[in-house]
Amino acid sequence: MSTATAKLPRGPAYDPWRSWRSREGAEGIVAAGILAANARNVQPWRFVVDDGSAAGPAVRVHADPARRQGALDPFDRELYVGLGCALENMVLAARARGFAPRVLLCPDADDPAHAATVVLEPGEPQAGELYEAIPYRHTNRGPFRPEPLPPQLLGEIAGLGDKDLAAPALRWFSTTAERARVAAHLTEATKEIVADEDQSLAGHRWFRANDREVERSPDGMTVGTQGMPPLMSAIGKRLPAPSRRTADRFWLRQTQNVHLPTAAAFGIVTVPDATRAEDRLEGGRLLQRIHLFATARGLAVGHLNMMTVRADRERQLGLPSRFGKVLADLVGDPERQALVTFRIGRPANPAAASPRRPVAEVLARETDL
Ligand SMILES: Cc1cc2nc3c(=O)[nH]c(=O)nc-3n(C[C@H](O)[C@H](O)[C@H](O)COP(=O)(O)O)c2cc1C
């Protein structure tokens, strides 16, 4: 396991990264779940611990409607993928702590917000490199080193879901021509998001400009996670909060100059039906697994979902399908649809942790839902 990680910032917003391992029982499973990747760090979850279930203790994962991304995720694609990412961490933590977890996806037909139940049956403790990687996995928005990744390694990553996930598969874009094709579309999609007033506003709502804002609201996108060198991040946090337009311009510039040209490969997770909650949850599990595996092998991952964000917006507004078509062409298989997109490579610098709301804040009682 690579231990090249950025120093964990001080303060309660980052305590969940320190304390997750020491929490026991079902709450310990939740403590692992909340460290998962999730779009814009909105943390779209609530958890119910059910000690009295007939099958044994269980943890229920619910979508939190108060944390939807609005125009950036009009059909809750990213919300459910994020819940899938949390599920993967929960399954790994359950196995490590001596349970044999059984995952039920969308178990309540009358309640679509009830995304999954993890039943904690007794088992043998099984920790592994993915579990150990949980606290070191962070989204990397800095430059990657100009080195290709061996095809064998990409093949190993593509096979990560084969044994227990039915829906998702991975399509790589790793040759120079393939990467240029994906990068050109991602640039165009980023420009469209920035030009769409409602999408730009929806994104800015989750921007946290300094430590005070993070303390008040331990979620969202922080200055420290934008992939800048530590000194520049420290200065950035002390400057007045940038305007929405300045932040959008910075994001487009970083996308064009850093994220896209330094990627060793782009990956698209595909599923049979990207509108189905079950496919999104399983796709999220694979995405998180890929990110954890990459972390364990010293690789970096950055998520780049501008094409799917635009494709869903086109559908919402009844616009002609531009990115819907682009994605279908990239996937190249009428039986499968693009769910999420990311870049991978060897990091030039370690990524920084993002804040989390504490477990106590995301635990709910049945009657609160
Ligand atoms: C479904 C999904 C979509 C995401 N889309 C993007 C994206 O387009 N751009 C980006 O920089 N990060 C994206 N992310 C990464 C999140 O912003 C990140 O997971 C979150 O801020 C928490 O940070 P962490 O992954 O370092 O824990 C996405 C993550 C998920 C799960």
Side-chain angles (χ1 to χ4, degrees), residues 17 35-41 78 81-82 85 137-139 141 220-221 251 287 291 303-306 340 352-354 356:
W17 296 98
L35 301 182
N38 65 96
R40 255 166 227 275
N41 199 22
E78 296 196 340
V81 172
C85 293
R137 182 216 57 83
H138 305 301
T139 296
R141 298 191 184 83
M221 308 291 294
W251 176 47
L287 183 67
H291 203 162
H303 303 265
L304 298 165
N305 284 293
M306 298 78 104
V340 280
S354 54
R356 287 296 187 278

Side-chain angles (χ1 to χ4, degrees), residues 46-50 58-62 362-366 369:
R46 287 191 293 184
F47 302 88
V48 177
V49 172
D50 183 356
V59 184
R60 289 166 39 178
V61 182
H62 287 256
V362 296
L363 278 178
R365 281 185 311 249
E366 174 79 48
L369 296 170

